[in-house]
mmCIF file of all heavy atoms in Angstrom:
data_model
loop_
_atom_site.group_PDB
_atom_site.id
_atom_site.type_symbol
_atom_site.label_atom_id
_atom_site.label_comp_id
_atom_site.label_asym_id
_atom_site.label_seq_id
_atom_site.Cartn_x
_atom_site.Cartn_y
_atom_site.Cartn_z
ATOM 1 N N GLN A 21 78.224 102.489 79.814
ATOM 2 C CA GLN A 21 79.124 102.180 78.738
ATOM 3 C C GLN A 21 79.754 103.413 78.157
ATOM 4 O O GLN A 21 79.033 104.332 77.879
ATOM 5 C CB GLN A 21 78.386 101.353 77.662
ATOM 6 C CG GLN A 21 79.298 100.856 76.525
ATOM 7 C CD GLN A 21 78.500 100.011 75.557
ATOM 8 O OE1 GLN A 21 77.335 100.044 75.574
ATOM 9 N NE2 GLN A 21 79.199 99.343 74.686
ATOM 10 N N GLY A 22 81.063 103.420 77.957
ATOM 11 C CA GLY A 22 81.720 104.483 77.352
ATOM 12 C C GLY A 22 82.094 105.569 78.321
ATOM 13 O O GLY A 22 82.656 106.618 77.878
ATOM 14 N N ARG A 229 73.593 116.516 73.319
ATOM 15 C CA ARG A 229 73.471 115.398 72.386
ATOM 16 C C ARG A 229 74.252 114.187 72.966
ATOM 17 O O ARG A 229 73.901 113.001 72.722
ATOM 18 C CB ARG A 229 74.013 115.708 70.986
ATOM 19 C CG ARG A 229 73.145 116.840 70.339
ATOM 20 C CD ARG A 229 73.336 116.789 68.825
ATOM 21 N NE ARG A 229 72.826 115.651 68.249
ATOM 22 C CZ ARG A 229 73.429 114.787 67.480
ATOM 23 N NH1 ARG A 229 74.773 114.883 67.369
ATOM 24 N NH2 ARG A 229 72.829 113.702 66.967
ATOM 25 N N THR A 230 75.433 114.405 73.584
ATOM 26 C CA THR A 230 76.295 113.285 74.077
ATOM 27 C C THR A 230 76.021 112.882 75.471
ATOM 28 O O THR A 230 76.457 111.768 75.944
ATOM 29 C CB THR A 230 77.687 113.676 73.887
ATOM 30 O OG1 THR A 230 78.021 114.796 74.732
ATOM 31 C CG2 THR A 230 78.061 113.979 72.433
ATOM 32 N N GLY A 231 75.391 113.810 76.239
ATOM 33 C CA GLY A 231 75.243 113.581 77.712
ATOM 34 C C GLY A 231 76.526 113.622 78.402
ATOM 35 O O GLY A 231 76.606 113.169 79.563
ATOM 36 N N ASN A 233 79.104 111.856 77.622
ATOM 37 C CA ASN A 233 79.749 110.579 77.616
ATOM 38 C C ASN A 233 81.006 110.701 76.759
ATOM 39 O O ASN A 233 80.957 111.008 75.614
ATOM 40 C CB ASN A 233 78.773 109.537 77.002
ATOM 41 C CG ASN A 233 79.297 108.155 76.933
ATOM 42 O OD1 ASN A 233 80.213 107.831 76.230
ATOM 43 N ND2 ASN A 233 78.636 107.257 77.693
ATOM 44 N N PRO A 234 82.168 110.248 77.370
ATOM 45 C CA PRO A 234 83.457 110.367 76.659
ATOM 46 C C PRO A 234 83.504 109.578 75.324
ATOM 47 O O PRO A 234 84.067 109.990 74.352
ATOM 48 C CB PRO A 234 84.458 109.803 77.622
ATOM 49 C CG PRO A 234 83.839 110.140 78.985
ATOM 50 C CD PRO A 234 82.369 109.840 78.758
ATOM 51 N N LEU A 235 82.819 108.365 75.306
ATOM 52 C CA LEU A 235 82.801 107.557 74.076
ATOM 53 C C LEU A 235 82.122 108.270 72.961
ATOM 54 O O LEU A 235 82.575 108.381 71.833
ATOM 55 C CB LEU A 235 82.257 106.196 74.332
ATOM 56 C CG LEU A 235 82.028 105.313 73.152
ATOM 57 C CD1 LEU A 235 83.345 105.009 72.520
ATOM 58 C CD2 LEU A 235 81.281 104.015 73.511
ATOM 59 N N PHE A 236 80.914 108.815 73.306
ATOM 60 C CA PHE A 236 80.170 109.543 72.292
ATOM 61 C C PHE A 236 80.881 110.811 71.865
ATOM 62 O O PHE A 236 80.895 111.167 70.632
ATOM 63 C CB PHE A 236 78.685 109.931 72.796
ATOM 64 C CG PHE A 236 77.895 108.671 73.154
ATOM 65 C CD1 PHE A 236 76.694 108.775 73.837
ATOM 66 C CD2 PHE A 236 78.285 107.410 72.728
ATOM 67 C CE1 PHE A 236 75.984 107.689 74.069
ATOM 68 C CE2 PHE A 236 77.524 106.283 72.939
ATOM 69 C CZ PHE A 236 76.345 106.467 73.634
ATOM 70 N N LEU A 237 81.458 111.513 72.739
ATOM 71 C CA LEU A 237 82.236 112.699 72.408
ATOM 72 C C LEU A 237 83.417 112.341 71.495
ATOM 73 O O LEU A 237 83.707 113.012 70.554
ATOM 74 C CB LEU A 237 82.766 113.391 73.670
ATOM 75 C CG LEU A 237 81.821 114.242 74.469
ATOM 76 C CD1 LEU A 237 82.424 114.494 75.856
ATOM 77 C CD2 LEU A 237 81.480 115.506 73.761
ATOM 78 N N ASN A 238 84.096 111.280 71.838
ATOM 79 C CA ASN A 238 85.213 110.845 70.944
ATOM 80 C C ASN A 238 84.788 110.525 69.583
ATOM 81 O O ASN A 238 85.456 110.828 68.548
ATOM 82 C CB ASN A 238 85.872 109.579 71.614
ATOM 83 C CG ASN A 238 87.263 109.348 71.110
ATOM 84 O OD1 ASN A 238 88.077 110.226 71.154
ATOM 85 N ND2 ASN A 238 87.548 108.167 70.653
ATOM 86 N N GLU A 239 83.623 109.865 69.388
ATOM 87 C CA GLU A 239 83.077 109.569 68.041
ATOM 88 C C GLU A 239 82.764 110.836 67.328
ATOM 89 O O GLU A 239 82.912 110.935 66.111
ATOM 90 C CB GLU A 239 81.906 108.606 68.156
ATOM 91 C CG GLU A 239 82.330 107.238 68.593
ATOM 92 C CD GLU A 239 83.303 106.527 67.742
ATOM 93 O OE1 GLU A 239 83.149 106.581 66.492
ATOM 94 O OE2 GLU A 239 84.318 106.005 68.303
ATOM 95 N N LEU A 240 82.200 111.817 68.055
ATOM 96 C CA LEU A 240 81.859 113.147 67.392
ATOM 97 C C LEU A 240 83.141 113.764 66.881
ATOM 98 O O LEU A 240 83.149 114.374 65.815
ATOM 99 C CB LEU A 240 81.170 114.050 68.376
ATOM 100 C CG LEU A 240 79.671 113.881 68.441
ATOM 101 C CD1 LEU A 240 79.147 114.979 69.413
ATOM 102 C CD2 LEU A 240 78.994 113.957 67.119
ATOM 103 N N MET A 241 84.222 113.662 67.664
ATOM 104 C CA MET A 241 85.510 114.200 67.217
ATOM 105 C C MET A 241 86.083 113.483 65.995
ATOM 106 O O MET A 241 86.601 114.113 65.165
ATOM 107 C CB MET A 241 86.482 114.154 68.389
ATOM 108 C CG MET A 241 86.125 115.088 69.539
ATOM 109 S SD MET A 241 86.000 116.826 69.166
ATOM 110 C CE MET A 241 84.237 116.992 68.939
ATOM 111 N N ARG A 242 85.804 112.234 65.905
ATOM 112 C CA ARG A 242 86.231 111.473 64.716
ATOM 113 C C ARG A 242 85.493 112.051 63.456
ATOM 114 O O ARG A 242 86.048 112.257 62.408
ATOM 115 C CB ARG A 242 85.924 110.022 64.846
ATOM 116 C CG ARG A 242 86.737 109.238 65.810
ATOM 117 C CD ARG A 242 86.427 107.802 65.757
ATOM 118 N NE ARG A 242 86.920 107.068 66.930
ATOM 119 C CZ ARG A 242 88.090 106.494 67.003
ATOM 120 N NH1 ARG A 242 88.912 106.652 65.987
ATOM 121 N NH2 ARG A 242 88.472 105.789 68.113
ATOM 122 N N LEU A 243 84.190 112.260 63.667
ATOM 123 C CA LEU A 243 83.374 112.820 62.575
ATOM 124 C C LEU A 243 83.858 114.110 62.142
ATOM 125 O O LEU A 243 83.939 114.449 60.951
ATOM 126 C CB LEU A 243 81.942 112.775 63.012
ATOM 127 C CG LEU A 243 80.882 113.141 61.944
ATOM 128 C CD1 LEU A 243 80.920 112.200 60.804
ATOM 129 C CD2 LEU A 243 79.456 113.191 62.551
ATOM 130 N N TRP A 255 78.984 117.708 61.931
ATOM 131 C CA TRP A 255 79.509 116.868 62.967
ATOM 132 C C TRP A 255 78.813 117.068 64.270
ATOM 133 O O TRP A 255 78.695 116.186 65.073
ATOM 134 C CB TRP A 255 81.031 117.034 63.141
ATOM 135 C CG TRP A 255 81.466 118.327 63.768
ATOM 136 C CD1 TRP A 255 81.795 119.512 63.175
ATOM 137 C CD2 TRP A 255 81.677 118.630 65.154
ATOM 138 N NE1 TRP A 255 82.124 120.440 64.011
ATOM 139 C CE2 TRP A 255 82.106 119.884 65.251
ATOM 140 C CE3 TRP A 255 81.517 117.798 66.358
ATOM 141 C CZ2 TRP A 255 82.403 120.493 66.545
ATOM 142 C CZ3 TRP A 255 81.863 118.376 67.558
ATOM 143 C CH2 TRP A 255 82.262 119.673 67.660
ATOM 144 N N GLY A 258 75.237 115.348 63.471
ATOM 145 C CA GLY A 258 75.206 113.982 62.868
ATOM 146 C C GLY A 258 75.260 112.914 63.963
ATOM 147 O O GLY A 258 75.465 113.118 65.090
ATOM 148 N N LEU A 259 75.045 111.707 63.480
ATOM 149 C CA LEU A 259 75.107 110.492 64.315
ATOM 150 C C LEU A 259 76.231 109.576 63.840
ATOM 151 O O LEU A 259 76.074 108.834 62.833
ATOM 152 C CB LEU A 259 73.762 109.772 64.319
ATOM 153 C CG LEU A 259 73.749 108.553 65.231
ATOM 154 C CD1 LEU A 259 73.951 108.906 66.677
ATOM 155 C CD2 LEU A 259 72.389 107.808 65.068
ATOM 156 N N PRO A 260 77.426 109.677 64.469
ATOM 157 C CA PRO A 260 78.530 108.813 64.077
ATOM 158 C C PRO A 260 78.183 107.363 64.103
ATOM 159 O O PRO A 260 77.410 106.906 64.872
ATOM 160 C CB PRO A 260 79.602 109.159 65.094
ATOM 161 C CG PRO A 260 79.257 110.511 65.660
ATOM 162 C CD PRO A 260 77.746 110.482 65.615
ATOM 163 N N GLU A 261 78.727 106.625 63.108
ATOM 164 C CA GLU A 261 78.443 105.141 63.066
ATOM 165 C C GLU A 261 78.848 104.482 64.356
ATOM 166 O O GLU A 261 78.206 103.515 64.779
ATOM 167 C CB GLU A 261 79.242 104.579 61.888
ATOM 168 C CG GLU A 261 78.595 104.884 60.532
ATOM 169 C CD GLU A 261 77.234 104.435 60.387
ATOM 170 O OE1 GLU A 261 76.901 103.212 60.693
ATOM 171 O OE2 GLU A 261 76.329 105.178 59.967
ATOM 172 N N GLY A 262 79.934 104.898 64.968
ATOM 173 C CA GLY A 262 80.357 104.311 66.215
ATOM 174 C C GLY A 262 79.350 104.388 67.296
ATOM 175 O O GLY A 262 79.055 103.411 68.044
ATOM 176 N N VAL A 263 78.693 105.571 67.396
ATOM 177 C CA VAL A 263 77.650 105.759 68.390
ATOM 178 C C VAL A 263 76.424 104.931 68.012
ATOM 179 O O VAL A 263 75.755 104.279 68.938
ATOM 180 C CB VAL A 263 77.280 107.253 68.483
ATOM 181 C CG1 VAL A 263 76.117 107.445 69.407
ATOM 182 C CG2 VAL A 263 78.467 108.112 68.943
ATOM 183 N N ARG A 264 76.052 104.894 66.782
ATOM 184 C CA ARG A 264 74.946 104.110 66.258
ATOM 185 C C ARG A 264 75.077 102.666 66.666
ATOM 186 O O ARG A 264 74.142 101.989 67.104
ATOM 187 C CB ARG A 264 74.770 104.285 64.759
ATOM 188 C CG ARG A 264 73.501 103.594 64.257
ATOM 189 C CD ARG A 264 73.572 103.579 62.681
ATOM 190 N NE ARG A 264 73.612 104.926 62.184
ATOM 191 C CZ ARG A 264 72.555 105.722 61.931
ATOM 192 N NH1 ARG A 264 71.341 105.264 62.243
ATOM 193 N NH2 ARG A 264 72.717 106.964 61.442
ATOM 194 N N ASP A 265 76.331 102.163 66.482
ATOM 195 C CA ASP A 265 76.633 100.733 66.832
ATOM 196 C C ASP A 265 76.479 100.443 68.316
ATOM 197 O O ASP A 265 75.943 99.440 68.719
ATOM 198 C CB ASP A 265 78.020 100.305 66.272
ATOM 199 C CG ASP A 265 78.109 100.412 64.765
ATOM 200 O OD1 ASP A 265 77.048 100.314 64.157
ATOM 201 O OD2 ASP A 265 79.241 100.503 64.265
ATOM 202 N N VAL A 266 77.053 101.406 69.081
ATOM 203 C CA VAL A 266 76.992 101.135 70.579
ATOM 204 C C VAL A 266 75.591 101.163 71.074
ATOM 205 O O VAL A 266 75.178 100.252 71.796
ATOM 206 C CB VAL A 266 77.784 102.229 71.257
ATOM 207 C CG1 VAL A 266 77.541 102.180 72.749
ATOM 208 C CG2 VAL A 266 79.262 101.984 71.002
ATOM 209 N N ILE A 267 74.806 102.139 70.605
ATOM 210 C CA ILE A 267 73.374 102.256 71.060
ATOM 211 C C ILE A 267 72.588 101.086 70.495
ATOM 212 O O ILE A 267 71.769 100.428 71.197
ATOM 213 C CB ILE A 267 72.767 103.559 70.595
ATOM 214 C CG1 ILE A 267 73.477 104.754 71.272
ATOM 215 C CG2 ILE A 267 71.256 103.624 70.937
ATOM 216 C CD1 ILE A 267 72.998 106.086 70.843
ATOM 217 N N GLY A 268 72.772 100.703 69.271
ATOM 218 C CA GLY A 268 72.094 99.578 68.671
ATOM 219 C C GLY A 268 72.368 98.257 69.370
ATOM 220 O O GLY A 268 71.437 97.454 69.612
ATOM 221 N N ARG A 269 73.624 98.074 69.775
ATOM 222 C CA ARG A 269 74.013 96.812 70.477
ATOM 223 C C ARG A 269 73.203 96.794 71.849
ATOM 224 O O ARG A 269 72.781 95.699 72.204
ATOM 225 C CB ARG A 269 75.504 96.832 70.679
ATOM 226 C CG ARG A 269 75.960 95.484 71.252
ATOM 227 C CD ARG A 269 77.503 95.415 71.322
ATOM 228 N NE ARG A 269 77.940 94.173 71.910
ATOM 229 C CZ ARG A 269 79.223 93.967 72.083
ATOM 230 N NH1 ARG A 269 80.129 94.851 71.863
ATOM 231 N NH2 ARG A 269 79.611 92.729 72.513
ATOM 232 N N GLY A 270 73.139 97.936 72.504
ATOM 233 C CA GLY A 270 72.432 98.022 73.739
ATOM 234 C C GLY A 270 70.937 97.648 73.574
ATOM 235 O O GLY A 270 70.248 96.989 74.341
ATOM 236 N N LEU A 271 70.345 98.230 72.519
ATOM 237 C CA LEU A 271 68.918 97.992 72.254
ATOM 238 C C LEU A 271 68.652 96.527 71.880
ATOM 239 O O LEU A 271 67.505 96.069 72.093
ATOM 240 C CB LEU A 271 68.477 98.958 71.119
ATOM 241 C CG LEU A 271 68.388 100.423 71.468
ATOM 242 C CD1 LEU A 271 68.030 101.246 70.234
ATOM 243 C CD2 LEU A 271 67.434 100.699 72.639
#
Side-chain angles (χ1 to χ4, degrees):
Q21 185 175 12
R229 297 201 69 239
T230 63
N233 182 293
L235 174 61
F236 295 170
L237 282 166
N238 199 53
E239 290 302 313
L240 276 183
M241 292 301 96
R242 290 183 195 273
L243 187 60
W255 72 270
L259 181 61
E261 285 301 311
V263 175
R264 186 188 302 273
D265 293 339
V266 169
I267 295 176
R269 188 175 181 185
L271 290 175

